[in-house]
């Protein structure tokens, strides 16, 4: 199972931001597990049947109801 990561640069940044805001027990691995659970990450192996199903859904789901976010 070495192919499946336990963290990502995104979960590292998410975790760091939550800690900065005063949250505890939000290490990068915990945050990555949350991101998996809510569907932010598709880390199914390429030969898994769910990988193809989720990729197909990703191409259909598009958020057009939200305005572009501005930095600043």
């Amino acid at each position: 199972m070495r192919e499946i990561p336990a963290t990502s640069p995104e979960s590292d940044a998410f975790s760091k931001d939550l800690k900065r805001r005063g949250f505890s027990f939000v290490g990068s691995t915990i945050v990555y597990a949350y991101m998996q659970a809510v569907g932010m990450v598709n880390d199914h192996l390429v030969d898994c049947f769910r990988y193809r199903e989720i990729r197909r859904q990703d191409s259909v789901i598009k958020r057009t109801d939200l305005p572009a976010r501005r930095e600043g």
Side-chain angles (χ1 to χ4, degrees):
M1 290 296 169
R2 291 183 200 170
E3 301 168 19
I4 301 173
T7 64
S8 69
E10 292 82 8
S11 68
D12 294 343
F14 197 169
S15 170
K16 186 176 180 179
D17 184 62
L18 289 171
K19 287 178 183 177
R20 183 182 61 80
R21 295 170 188 257
F23 288 83
S24 58
F25 201 68
V26 288
S28 187
T29 302
I30 297 292
V31 171
Y32 192 76
Y34 170 79
M35 292 169 67
Q36 288 174 312
V38 299
M40 294 172 69
V41 177
N42 177 14
D43 60 1
H44 290 273
L45 299 177
V46 177
D47 59 349
C48 175
F49 74 98
R50 288 293 293 155
Y51 177 84
R52 288 183 296 281
E53 290 176 6
I54 293 169
R55 291 294 294 176
R56 197 173 323 119
Q57 290 173 358
D58 283 347
S59 65
V60 173
I61 299 171
K62 293 190 183 190
R63 295 297 304 259
T64 58
D65 58 328
L66 299 174
R69 218 176 137 176
R70 288 189 231 168
E71 296 294 323

